[in-house]
Amino acid sequence: MPGRAALTIYVAAPWILWPLSFVVFRDHFIWAMAASTGLIGMATLLLGVAENLGPRRRWPLAAVAYTALLYTAFAAGNLLAEALGMGRGVEEVYRMVGRDPILAAPLAWIGFWEEVYWRAGLQEGIVSGRLRLPWPLASIPYALVHVSTGNPVLVAAALVVGLTLGHEAHRYGAAVSAASHVAWLYLVLLAAPLR
């Protein structure tokens, strides 16, 4: 396990990289996010903080089930956001990301490296492993790091993603939650968008 200074930088990195990706480089969001997630994901592997990375038995079925669960939760959340007059928050995310099929490669990259950092590194390696705290607590920083976007819908969405994929990673391994994350991104943004 790395020293305290390295861990502090590791844990703090998204608090710098997310505002850069979502706010400063908003016009190039996908590419900024690909750079940010790649950086923190590779740091996870280089620092050796990843735990529970490999898949467990019956993982393809789990990946499909969690992808369907997450998509269903977002479909319901979309209806709720509309009912609460917060539909603009959903539309803002779609505008920022875009819908070009060329996004398939960077979306896969982003989904994979987010799971390596947030689930294998922060959740399983640090929160559950090093600190011996319940894994759901790792979903809180994942949601709060999105506050810099100024979009409350995105913060709530991140909490749902963090809890859903966090449960999957804890139970089946972060490689499986990565498969679900990528499949869900493809569904919700490209194949069957909610807007």
Side-chain angles (χ1 to χ4, degrees):
M1 203 43 119
R4 181 170 288 178
L7 277 178
T8 300
I9 293 167
Y10 174 76
V11 170
W15 299 90
I16 297 164
L17 296 172
W18 259 235
L20 285 173
S21 298
F22 280 91
V23 181
V24 177
F25 297 110
R26 180 186 182 91
D27 291 342
H28 307 285
F29 169 73
I30 286 294
W31 307 108
M33 197 63 181
S36 295
T37 54
L39 183 65
I40 59 175
M42 289 179 201
T44 302
L45 301 181
L46 290 172
L47 292 172
V49 295
E51 296 287 336
N52 200 16
L53 190 53
R56 300 235 169 58
R57 280 179 33 176
R58 299 186 187 150
W59 74 265
L61 184 59
V64 169
Y66 279 87
T67 300
L69 175 64
L70 198 51
Y71 184 82
T72 302
F74 268 66
N78 179 53
L79 294 173
L80 180 61
E82 196 62 45
L84 295 174
M86 300 175 77
R88 281 182 54 169
V90 177
E91 291 165 12
E92 185 178 317
V93 173
Y94 277 106
R95 266 195 313 276
M96 187 172 56
V97 173
R99 295 188 183 173
D100 195 322
I102 199 170
L103 297 175
L107 286 174
W109 174 271
I110 291 165
F112 173 78
W113 287 117
E114 275 207 81
E115 292 306 301
V116 170
Y117 177 83
W118 289 107
R119 261 52 87 181
L122 190 71
Q123 175 182 300
E124 296 298 307
I126 295 176
V127 172
S128 286
R130 188 175 179 125
L131 300 176
R132 307 246 184 262
L133 295 170
W135 68 263
L137 292 177
S139 300
I140 296 170
Y142 183 65
L144 292 179
V145 78
H146 290 83
V147 167
S148 64
T149 67
N151 185 342
V153 172
L154 194 53
V155 176
L159 183 60
V160 171
V161 170
L163 290 170
T164 304
L165 296 180
H167 184 269
E168 182 178 20
H170 190 71
R171 187 165 182 190
Y172 295 100
V176 184
S177 65
S180 291
H181 197 146
V182 172
W184 167 73
L185 285 173
Y186 283 176
L187 265 177
V188 80
L189 295 174
L190 299 177
L194 299 170
R195 291 283 168 143

